[in-house]
Amino acid sequence: MHRPLRHRRRCSLLEITLNRKGLPHGPDKLRPMKSDIASLFRSVSIAAAGLALFLTGCGGSANVPPRTSIGPIPAGLITEFAKGISAHATPFHIAKGPDRNLWFTEPDVNSIGRITPSGSVTEFGAGITPNAFPLDISAGPDGNLWFTDPGDNSIGRITPSGTITEFSAGIATQAGLNDIAAGSDGNLWFTEIENNSVGRITPSGAVTEFTTGISAGAHPYGITSGPDGNLWFTEPGIGRIARITPSGSVTEFTIGKSVGNAPVAIAAGPDGNLWFTEPSAGRIGRITPSGVVTEFTTGITPQAGLGEIASGPDGNLWFTEVYADKIARITPSGVVSEFSYTLPDGARPLGIAPGPDGNMWFTLPGVAEIGNITTQ
């Protein structure tokens, strides 16, 4: 165990943002997983949209009771790391880097963090514009890490040694940058919630934005590279999954179920399909490259607050349950297992990614920590 016991802390960035907007917050005011996700994007600044979606009421959810007993040790062994992470940081998204380390964003302290498989943390902030709010992060085809800066409307690049460059030319004003992923074409692709578009940036920083074929009010959110050579992204505003080719041609697929079908995070699975989370409905969805959708709910804690999802080295998908304070696994056939041993109430696991050590690594924004879980 590498984690000192901490009290649950206040998520200052979110609360300050909501106060500034004059919006209600806290577990009794702003309920988790709003059913109308489009209204969330309209009412909360895009710079805090992810936090508002996943971390409202950081002191605890009104709908998921705190765990009073962690019970026996499950199959997935969890380890947490806090040393080297700034006390007021909010580790958010995480990705495996080309240097065999894990890299994560820290929007609260305007930094990018790096953690080795042994748990040594380094934070990098030089070169990031003040209040840039680094959000999502992805390994690029050029051997660097790329991240979104919704606060200053730019895309950032960080080398394994920590040198940061930001690119803003060609990005629409107040685009609402969110997720970013490497494409099969050697470029990076990202979503623009407010601009209702998908963007592409080359390793040299040239940006192209695509809006044709994306329905009004779609609010593109999560994005990932698919097994078919295309990029796949979620459209929570209209309840669809969309596909964009490297040339920019968009096709949208309706999920099917009407209640709470607001897909958020998405990842390519080991089975050749795409997998996505539906936080409002408490479902995990699977879509084939041809657009056939299947949804799974059995084994998922009700109102768990599903976060990010990623493919694991064990041939399964792993995802976070923000409000339930759990890490979960789903097999390609849809069997779900949940793990929570050692995670404190209010840890709020969010981002998740496979590590070079065969474990899954995840962020704990509620307690300023990074964790990992064994997959075997």
Side-chain angles (χ1 to χ4, degrees):
M1 178 69 61
H2 298 265
R3 172 184 55 83
L5 183 62
R6 292 186 177 187
H7 295 291
R8 188 181 307 164
R9 69 184 189 87
R10 178 175 177 267
C11 288
S12 57
L13 178 61
L14 174 64
E15 295 187 353
I16 289 172
T17 302
L18 295 181
N19 280 327
R20 185 168 60 246
K21 291 288 181 179
L23 297 173
H25 60 279
D28 297 323
K29 299 294 183 180
L30 190 58
R31 300 291 182 178
M33 302 302 114
K34 286 182 177 289
S35 59
D36 184 2
I37 194 167
S39 70
L40 175 66
F41 296 137
R42 290 191 294 268
S43 63
V44 180
S45 68
I46 292 303
L51 282 173
L53 179 62
F54 295 115
L55 301 178
T56 48
C58 288
S61 168
N63 297 316
V64 179
R67 286 176 284 106
T68 57
S69 174
I70 57 177
I73 299 176
L77 179 62
I78 291 173
T79 305
E80 298 166 61
F81 303 90
K83 185 178 180 180
I85 299 175
S86 296
H88 299 290
T90 306
F92 209 75
H93 287 296
I94 190 168
K96 181 173 67 174
D99 57 349
R100 295 186 60 80
N101 296 312
L102 282 298
W103 292 74
F104 55 96
T105 55
E106 298 180 311
D108 257 6
V109 294
N110 214 52
S111 298
I112 301 297
R114 179 187 67 203
I115 185 169
T116 67
S118 62
S120 177
V121 172
T122 306
E123 295 176 320
F124 303 92
I128 300 178
T129 301
N131 300 314
F133 197 90
L135 193 61
D136 193 29
I137 189 166
S138 173
D142 58 347
N144 299 311
L145 283 298
W146 291 73
F147 57 94
T148 54
D149 277 341
D152 77 337
N153 211 53
S154 69
I155 299 295
R157 180 186 67 203
I158 183 169
T159 67
S161 62
T163 301
I164 293 172
T165 307
E166 294 178 319
F167 304 91
S168 59
I171 299 175
T173 303
Q174 295 181 336
L177 303 177
N178 198 61
D179 269 18
I180 188 167
S184 62
D185 59 345
N187 299 310
L188 283 299
W189 291 73
F190 54 93
T191 54
E192 300 182 337
I193 301 174
E194 280 195 339
N195 196 42
N196 207 56
S197 62
V198 170
R200 180 186 66 203
I201 184 169
T202 67
S204 61
V207 172
T208 306
E209 295 174 319
F210 301 92
T211 59
T212 302
I214 300 176
S215 297
H219 298 299
Y221 195 94
I223 190 167
T224 192
S225 183
D228 55 353
N230 299 313
L231 280 297
W232 290 72
F233 60 98
T234 58
E235 298 180 321
I238 57 174
R240 295 178 184 175
I241 302 295
R243 179 186 66 209
I244 184 169
T245 67
S247 62
S249 178
V250 174
T251 304
E252 295 177 322
F253 301 92
T254 300
I255 292 177
K257 291 186 176 179
S258 60
V259 180
N261 64 342
V264 177
I266 188 168
D271 58 347
N273 299 312
L274 287 301
W275 291 73
F276 55 93
T277 62
E278 296 180 74
S280 298
R283 295 191 293 251
I284 296 293
R286 180 186 66 205
I287 184 170
T288 68
S290 62
V292 178
V293 173
T294 307
E295 294 171 311
F296 305 92
T297 58
T298 302
I300 299 174
T301 297
Q303 299 175 323
L306 305 183
E308 292 295 304
I309 187 168
S311 184
D314 58 342
N316 300 310
L317 281 296
W318 290 75
F319 58 97
T320 53
E321 296 185 347
V322 184
Y323 291 107
D325 289 317
K326 296 177 180 179
I327 306 299
R329 177 187 66 204
I330 184 169
T331 68
S333 61
V335 178
V336 173
S337 300
E338 296 178 319
F339 307 92
S340 62
Y341 180 71
T342 76
L343 284 183
D345 294 320
R348 301 294 181 256
L350 178 56
I352 191 166
D357 55 353
N359 299 323
M360 297 298 291
W361 288 72
F362 52 90
T363 60
L364 296 170
V367 290
E369 295 173 359
I370 300 295
N372 68 31
I373 183 170
T374 58
T375 59
Q376 302 297 332

